[in-house]
Amino acid sequence: MSRGWARAALVGYRWFGAGIYPLLGPYLAIRAAKGKEERSRRQERYGRSDIERPVGPLVWFHAASVGETNAVVPLINEVRRRGISVVLTTGTVTSARVAQERLGDNVIHQYVPLDLKPAISRFLDHWMPDLAIIAESEIWPMTILELGARRTPQVLVNGRLSDRSFARWSKRPGLADALFENLSHVIAQSDLDAERFLSLGARPVTVSGNLKVDTTAPPWDGDELARLQEQVGDRPTWAAISTYEGEDEIAAAVHRALKPRHKLLTILVPRHPDRADTIEAMLTGNGLKVARRSRGEPVIPETDVYLGDTIGEMGLYLNLTEIVFVGKSLKGGGGQNPLEPAMLGCAVLSGSNVENFREAYARLLKNGGARFVRDGEMLAKGVHYLLSNPQARRTMADGGEKTLYDMRGALKSTVRALEPYINPLTVKARLLPRENENGENRKGGQW
């Protein structure tokens, strides 16, 4: 696609978006009915907000979902430490709850506006960000073009391009160039990601490593953990986390295969808790007794599966076991973050379809912190081996700890790359009048 055709396509995208904009009410209403939107906050998807913009410099962070949100939390805290206000947008109800739990009133949270000119323009007119920081792989054409038209610096942090995304952009080099030229800086996760962004026209590109390594371990409630550990007792456990459709059935089959030898408890944490009713029906249909976390059901000796159908409690579930299968790797594809279980001393098992976390898995495999399985039968054998060999579990946990140690430093590298954009805002923030103890200089009651 030539550059001229690329620009024509982007103009067409803009007019198409403007045309369908009035028709989006039913679409958002359906999503709200499915629990994918907060009814009371749907106006934010149109770029509207009841919160006033704070006085002084403001950085807009965007993180699509839970993983991206957790990854940028330390970076947001660094920006806030400098006195710069932050508005954080996310795209899912789950990530909004995580943002509230991890950041509270330290930021203003909004749902990301639809990538349509009326919504994006309204959002930018209201918040007037001095800098936009986008996490990982969120390439939204209208957002990028509108920020570029306003000459607002926009930086992609923890940047990555999956095999599929890179192949798609490579077929449209003119379109990629027309978009990526608007990015002020790309801070990539790995050398491979950096090479891909460079080949698509992004300049400059630097490598920081993966911000997910420099986050803290998922939090948990100590009292709840102690209560559940007492209920579990000395039963062996394993967990299947971030599972997608098809992997829940695999976890059930593993449990049935191993139960006669180990009398184990399986902890099943689906990636989308709204599938819990369907998963429970499948498990009970296979003759398994289920206790659901969302209903406060206790783990009793007869419980086969503890269904972790809640949000923000991954730390609790991971602390109940030392063996973890990380999902979206046998079914779905792309993988999920293996670093969280490694942070909490778990041996990691996974399918091989993990392109979204390629480097993390490569390092875990090299250090013996993770193992790949081909299918459910191999997963059952792997869980059986680790249940039967405490030393093997400890060796894998040590490999995970070494991997985390070797990979740390992404936050420091990212902050260093961002300093040309953040330092001027830090100076502006310091020149603002200091608020008194009653917070009288605040706008909208929060920063």
Side-chain angles (χ1 to χ4, degrees):
M1 179 184 288
S2 70
R3 195 173 181 83
W5 278 107
R7 294 195 181 281
L10 291 172
V11 171
Y13 178 84
R14 173 179 293 180
W15 284 107
F16 173 76
I20 67 170
Y21 182 78
L23 308 176
L24 291 173
Y27 165 73
L28 292 177
I30 292 171
R31 284 179 55 84
K34 295 179 178 179
K36 295 182 178 181
E37 300 278 348
E38 287 191 53
R39 292 180 184 276
S40 62
R41 297 179 61 182
R42 275 187 289 170
Q43 63 173 349
E44 295 172 20
R45 301 285 267 152
Y46 295 100
R48 300 187 179 96
S49 179
D50 295 329
I51 301 173
E52 292 185 37
R53 185 198 189 279
V55 173
L58 179 142
V59 174
W60 171 24
F61 277 84
H62 174 59
S65 193
V66 173
E68 295 88 346
T69 302
N70 283 325
V72 298
V73 164
L75 192 56
I76 289 173
N77 287 331
E78 174 64 23
V79 171
R80 287 294 294 121
R81 185 184 66 79
R82 298 171 181 235
I84 302 167
S85 300
V86 168
V87 59
L88 168 66
T89 59
T90 64
T92 66
V93 174
T94 306
S95 55
R97 295 176 187 172
V98 169
Q100 176 60 38
E101 291 167 0
R102 300 293 298 271
L103 293 163
D105 293 335
N106 202 32
V107 302
I108 300 169
H109 177 268
Q110 300 281 277
Y111 283 106
V112 66
L114 298 163
D115 191 51
L116 304 173
K117 181 172 172 49
I120 292 296
S121 294
R122 186 179 292 115
F123 178 89
L124 295 176
D125 287 343
H126 179 78
W127 294 109
M128 294 182 292
D130 298 280
L131 170 66
I133 298 178
I134 306 163
E136 298 208 7
S137 56
E138 288 292 283
I139 308 298
W140 291 104
M142 194 51 54
T143 300
I144 290 174
L145 293 175
E146 286 299 301
L147 285 167
R150 295 163 191 252
R151 299 189 182 280
T152 303
Q154 45 190 317
V155 180
L156 186 68
V157 300
N158 219 37
R160 65 177 175 85
L161 278 174
S162 67
D163 296 342
R164 183 178 302 176
S165 294
F166 179 62
R168 186 166 59 244
W169 285 114
S170 295
K171 293 176 182 177
R172 302 168 180 84
L175 184 60
D177 189 58
L179 285 175
F180 291 158
E181 70 176 4
N182 290 280
L183 297 178
S184 304
H185 200 135
V186 172
I187 307 171
Q189 289 187 21
S190 69
D191 291 334
L192 176 61
D193 291 307
E195 290 172 6
R196 288 177 169 181
F197 279 110
L198 283 168
S199 72
L200 295 174
R203 300 286 190 281
V205 178
T206 56
V207 178
S208 67
N210 193 336
L211 281 173
K212 289 183 169 75
V213 183
D214 284 354
T215 60
T216 57
W220 65 90
D221 184 308
D223 292 337
E224 276 298 290
L225 176 60
R227 185 180 67 82
L228 283 170
Q229 285 174 330
E230 183 177 0
Q231 292 175 6
V232 174
D234 60 358
R235 291 178 65 184
T237 63
W238 77 290
I241 67 168
S242 300
T243 56
Y244 274 61
E245 291 183 23
E247 292 176 329
D248 312 301
E249 290 80 0
I250 290 173
V254 170
H255 181 90
R256 293 197 308 273
L258 299 182
K259 181 180 177 180
R261 285 178 282 185
H262 295 285
K263 298 182 180 179
L264 78 167
L265 174 71
T266 293
I267 302 160
L268 180 56
V269 187
R271 179 70 178 86
H272 299 293
D274 57 0
R275 295 196 298 111
D277 289 344
T278 300
I279 294 171
E280 182 182 27
M282 179 274 296
L283 293 171
T284 55
N286 280 281
L288 302 177
K289 186 170 182 60
V290 180
R292 283 178 63 167
R293 172 69 179 163
S294 64
R295 294 199 292 245
E297 296 170 345
V299 175
I300 60 176
E302 293 76 25
T303 301
D304 292 296
V305 178
Y306 190 52
L307 184 53
D309 56 341
T310 56
I311 294 169
E313 292 194 304
M314 186 61 76
L316 179 70
Y317 302 129
L318 292 176
N319 271 292
L320 290 172
T321 189
E322 296 178 351
I323 305 168
V324 172
F325 165 75
V326 182
K328 203 182 178 183
S329 58
L330 286 175
K331 304 291 183 179
Q336 290 292 332
N337 184 10
L339 300 174
E340 288 184 344
M343 287 177 187
L344 292 174
C346 297
V348 174
L349 300 173
S350 171
S352 59
N353 301 316
V354 293
E355 64 175 74
N356 292 342
F357 296 87
R358 180 186 288 108
E359 183 167 3
Y361 271 105
R363 295 194 180 215
L364 283 167
L365 290 167
K366 178 181 178 182
N367 292 323
R371 295 181 181 180
F372 281 162
V373 297
R374 290 188 304 271
D375 50 30
E377 181 180 355
M378 191 172 177
L379 176 60
K381 291 178 179 178
V383 173
H384 169 66
Y385 174 76
L386 291 171
L387 287 172
S388 306
N389 293 273
Q391 183 57 50
R393 295 200 303 271
R394 286 192 290 270
T395 298
M396 289 187 71
D398 290 344
E401 183 178 359
K402 183 180 187 313
T403 300
L404 293 168
Y405 179 81
D406 292 344
M407 291 180 69
R408 291 196 189 280
L411 177 61
K412 184 176 180 179
S413 296
T414 301
V415 171
R416 185 164 56 246
L418 285 171
E419 283 187 345
Y421 310 97
I422 294 177
N423 284 348
L425 304 183
T426 304
V427 173
K428 287 175 64 176
R430 288 173 179 169
L431 293 175
L432 291 173
R434 292 183 177 274
E435 65 180 35
N436 62 27
E437 62 181 6
N438 295 318
E440 291 177 355
N441 287 330
R442 283 177 157 180
K443 291 287 185 180
Q446 57 183 308
W447 287 87

